């Protein structure tokens, strides 16, 4: 059975939300203004269904097998990320939730915001396929480099990214947590 990577659909929000949460953890609290798991997942589903935030289905690609979502990758460029975050901050402010979302990429980078494979599908190379897909998208869109941030304690993930040609270029901070900012040239 082959794995197909394609644009996410609104109807897949309930399958995508737990994968986003699995990948970003506490950042989801900041993005949603929620602190209970069920409310976080419900808010993430709403964000996925919308078009004006980083986790919109428009920025999300899914790895599917027989229409089951096995993994996701969320992609956009650094400039677009800033715009999407300001829109989300304004949207949250209307609910009296005041957050400031941290910038996660430089303006000239194609950015891998989130990549996650479901627990049952791990170890099958799907994460690598999602990263390769992201790189191909970046090339087709004319970017010279692609980037991502990885938490310091995610040593295995960092090793995978390094095997694929990503290099730590600088320290980064997201919601007061330390990350490695990793970049790969796309030529």
């Amino acid at each position: 059975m082959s794995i197909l990577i394609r644009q996410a659909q609104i109807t897949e929000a309930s399958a995508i939300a737990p994968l986003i949460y699995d990948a970003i953890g506490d950042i989801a609290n900041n993005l949603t203004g929620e602190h209970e798991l069920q409310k976080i997942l419900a808010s993430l589903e709403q964000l996925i269904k919308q078009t004006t935030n980083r986790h919109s289905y428009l920025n999300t690609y899914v790895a599917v097998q027989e229409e089951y979502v096995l993994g996701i990758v969320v992609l956009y460029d650094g400039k677009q990320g800033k715009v999407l975050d300001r829109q989300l901050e304004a949207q949250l402010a209307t609910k009296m939730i005041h957050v400031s979302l941290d910038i996660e990429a430089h303006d000239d980078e194609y950015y891998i915001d989130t990549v996650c494979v479901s627990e049952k599908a791990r170890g099958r190379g799907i994460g690598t396929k999602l990263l390769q897909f992201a790189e191909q998208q970046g090339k087709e869109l004319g970017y010279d480099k692609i980037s991502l941030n990885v938490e310091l304690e995610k040593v295995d993930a960092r090793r995978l990214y390094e095997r694929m040609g990503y290099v730590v270029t600088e320290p980064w901070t997201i919601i007061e947590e330390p990350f490695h900012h990793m970049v790969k040239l796309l030529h």
Side-chain angles (χ1 to χ4, degrees), residues 111-126:
Y111 183 61
I112 301 171
D113 179 290
T114 309
V115 62
C116 187
V117 175
S118 70
E119 238 179 275
K120 67 180 181 191
R122 291 181 185 159
R124 295 172 42 193
I126 296 169

Side-chain angles (χ1 to χ4, degrees), residues 85-98:
D85 285 351
R86 297 306 76 81
Q87 291 171 328
L88 181 56
E89 288 169 354
Q91 180 183 338
L92 290 170
T94 65
K95 298 177 184 177
M96 304 312 284
I97 300 168
H98 301 284

Side-chain angles (χ1 to χ4, degrees), residues 11-140:
T11 56
E12 295 167 323
S14 63
I16 295 168
L19 294 174
I20 290 174
Y21 182 75
D22 190 24
I24 69 174
D26 290 345
I27 295 171
N29 302 31
N30 210 28
L31 285 176
T32 62
E34 299 292 348
H35 300 284
E36 296 172 32
L37 181 58
Q38 287 311 106
K39 288 182 178 180
I40 292 169
L41 291 174
S43 292
L44 285 172
E45 283 185 43
Q46 287 306 114
L47 292 176
I48 293 160
K49 292 176 183 179
Q50 297 168 358
T51 60
T52 58
N53 70 82
R54 63 170 81 169
H55 287 103
S56 166
Y57 70 95
L58 295 176
N59 302 322
T60 303
Y61 297 85
V62 291
V64 295
Q65 186 174 46
E66 295 182 359
E67 293 308 306
Y68 289 101
V69 174
L70 301 179
I72 60 159
V73 63
V74 177
L75 306 167
Y76 50 84
D77 71 43
K79 281 184 193 169
Q80 182 188 20
K82 290 176 185 174
V83 172
L84 294 170
D85 285 351
R86 297 306 76 81
Q87 291 171 328
L88 181 56
E89 288 169 354
Q91 180 183 338
L92 290 170
T94 65
K95 298 177 184 177
M96 304 312 284
I97 300 168
H98 301 284
V99 296
S100 179
L101 301 174
D102 294 316
I103 294 169
E104 295 188 18
H106 294 292
D107 286 355
D108 63 339
E109 296 171 342
Y110 195 55
Y111 183 61
I112 301 171
D113 179 290
T114 309
V115 62
C116 187
V117 175
S118 70
E119 238 179 275
K120 67 180 181 191
R122 291 181 185 159
R124 295 172 42 193
I126 296 169
T128 299
K129 286 180 176 150
L130 287 164
L131 291 169
Q132 290 168 337
F133 175 85
E135 292 167 14
Q136 188 59 41
Q137 289 287 106
K139 286 178 189 175
E140 288 175 12

